[in-house]
Amino acid sequence: MRSLQRTPKAVAPLLRDSSLVWLASGIVGVSFGAVSVAGGLPVWVPVLMSLVVYAGSAQFSAVGVLLAGGGPVAAAATGLLLNTRTAAFSLAVAEILGTGRASRFLGAHLVTDETVAFALAQPDPARQRRAFWISGLGLFAVWNIGVLAGALAGSALGDTARYGLDAAFPAVLVALVLPTLRADAAVRRCALLGAALALAATPAVPAGVPVLLALAGLLLHRGPAPGAAA
């Protein structure tokens, strides 16, 4: 009985914190749907892509290739390149997803920058698992609802980036990782190197690639010395 009583108290803060990510996701989703349809794609393309691919930066890049006259192969290759970073994310949350085949399959589809950052920011495995599923399922639902709304609205909304609303996503991510950056000097060094590499590469490479290059910051990370206290 006590565990049942504690469950709402444990879930409520996660729902509250996740709602910030969901809001940002919905805004960007509306933008993606509107831009896709305004560019000439039928409504079903961004909607189906969001359900099956479910990767914001990869979707924007793939649609950009299509609207620029590129073929589906080029669009798919671009999306795959930008989404390779999720392989590292999946390794980071592998234990969180559980051992069941169904949970791992569904969890792999829900792996995003935001969901992984939110889950790993939690202090213990049980809370990490709860945070992953709450954040992941909610984010998937809100993203797809936003994309559908934007696609139906078409060119009436235009690109929400004009209003600066695209900054909501990175702002939420920064808020999620700040506690870890404050607590761990080694993580700060990795983050600073990764950020520097990403900023330097941004003018010269396609969108999404700087994020991959930022992973090189992990080279500065050092595990605990042999024999160090746990």
Side-chain angles (χ1 to χ4, degrees), residues 92-98 116 119-120 125 128-130 132-133:
V93 297
E95 297 300 323
I96 296 176
L97 300 183
V116 171
L120 295 181
Q128 287 178 345
R129 182 174 294 108
R130 193 179 295 124
F132 178 87
W133 290 107

Side-chain angles (χ1 to χ4, degrees), residues 8 11 13 15 31-32 46 50 56 59 63 75 102 119 124 130 136 150 152 174 178-179 191 197 199 202 211 223:
V11 170
L15 289 173
S31 175
F32 173 71
S50 295
Q59 289 180 226
V63 165
D124 59 79
R130 193 179 295 124
L152 292 176
V174 169
L178 271 179
L197 291 172
L199 287 173
T202 295
V211 177

Side-chain angles (χ1 to χ4, degrees), residues 129-227:
R129 182 174 294 108
R130 193 179 295 124
F132 178 87
W133 290 107
I134 290 174
S135 172
L137 291 171
L139 194 63
F140 181 80
V142 172
W143 170 260
N144 282 279
I145 291 171
V147 170
L148 176 61
L152 292 176
S155 58
L157 290 176
D159 187 359
T160 56
R162 284 186 297 173
Y163 312 108
L165 297 179
D166 56 324
F169 245 180
V172 169
L173 276 176
V174 169
L176 287 174
V177 302
L178 271 179
T180 303
L181 293 176
R182 289 172 178 168
D184 194 325
V187 173
R188 285 198 297 273
R189 288 194 297 270
C190 295
L192 286 173
L193 176 59
L197 291 172
L199 287 173
T202 295
V205 299
V209 175
V211 177
L212 296 176
L213 298 177
L215 293 175
L218 295 174
L219 295 173
L220 289 183
H221 192 271
R222 294 291 184 271

